[in-house]
Amino acid sequence: MICYEGAFLMFIAQTSIGFIEIPNHISLNVYAVGCEHRCPGCCNNKLQDFDYPHRFWLDDDQFKVVLSNATLVDSVCWLGGDASFQLERLIQLSTIVREYFPAKINCLYTGNLFEHLSDPLKDVLDVVVDGKRIKQKAEAPRL
C-alpha cells in the first residue's frame, strides 16, 4: 500500500465514462494497474504491470470531486488490470462510493472468483463480474 502525506493512494492508468460495462447505466470506469492473472486474450494486458509507466495516484479528495461533478454517472466500475490486487485501497474507495454517493452502483470486474473475495470487499460492492477472461474464438458467419 502506498501512503503519501497520510492518505492511501491507488495506482490507476486512466478513467473514462462507459456505457456498456454495466448495462443500462453510465459508469465512471477506473482502470487500476496490476494483475497477476495473465489471462490469455486480456483486453488490457499493458495494465497487468504493477509498475505501469503511465500510472497516477487516485486519492480520496480527487475521487469525491470527480464523482460529485459527474452528474450523469450513476455507477462506478473498477476495471484494470485488476483493482482487487490493491485490495485495501479498493475497499476504502468503494466505501466512499457507498457512504457519499449511495445511489451510485459500485461494480468490480475481477479475475478472482466471487467466493474468494473478502467479505469486507463484498460488503461495499453491488455488482461483481468475476472469473478470468476467456477469449472465445468467433465462428465465421454462414452465408
Side-chain angles (χ1 to χ4, degrees):
M1 182 62 58
I2 304 296
C3 185
Y4 178 73
E5 295 181 12
F8 287 103
L9 305 166
M10 175 178 266
F11 281 121
I12 64 171
Q14 68 183 39
T15 59
S16 67
I17 301 298
F19 302 94
I20 61 172
E21 291 76 14
I22 305 172
N24 302 316
H25 292 276
I26 301 172
S27 60
L28 172 67
N29 295 334
V30 182
Y31 291 84
V33 300
C35 181
E36 295 177 357
H37 294 298
R38 305 294 190 258
C39 301
C42 175
C43 56
N44 284 320
N45 60 356
K46 66 182 179 189
L47 299 183
Q48 293 174 353
D49 184 0
F50 288 91
D51 294 319
Y52 178 70
H54 304 292
R55 67 186 182 182
F56 60 97
W57 293 326
L58 179 64
D59 69 26
D60 291 4
D61 292 334
Q62 290 171 323
F63 189 53
K64 289 176 191 173
V65 167
V66 168
L67 284 176
S68 294
N69 290 318
T71 55
L72 295 177
V73 167
D74 64 359
S75 53
V76 175
C77 189
W78 303 98
L79 302 156
D82 190 331
S84 70
F85 284 98
Q86 299 183 60
L87 181 62
E88 290 177 47
R89 187 61 182 141
L90 176 59
I91 291 171
Q92 291 170 341
L93 290 170
S94 292
T95 300
I96 287 173
V97 175
R98 180 63 45 100
E99 291 178 0
Y100 290 88
F101 308 95
K104 293 190 188 304
I105 295 169
N106 199 15
C107 173
L108 170 66
Y109 276 71
T110 180
N112 296 307
L113 295 176
F114 181 79
E115 53 268 17
H116 296 145
L117 297 176
S118 71
D119 287 337
L121 179 58
K122 291 177 189 176
D123 290 344
V124 292
L125 295 172
D126 300 302
V127 176
V128 175
V129 179
D130 69 335
K132 292 185 178 183
R133 183 177 193 279
I134 300 171
K135 185 177 182 180
Q136 296 181 353
K137 189 175 182 178
E139 291 185 24
R142 294 179 186 217
L143 299 176

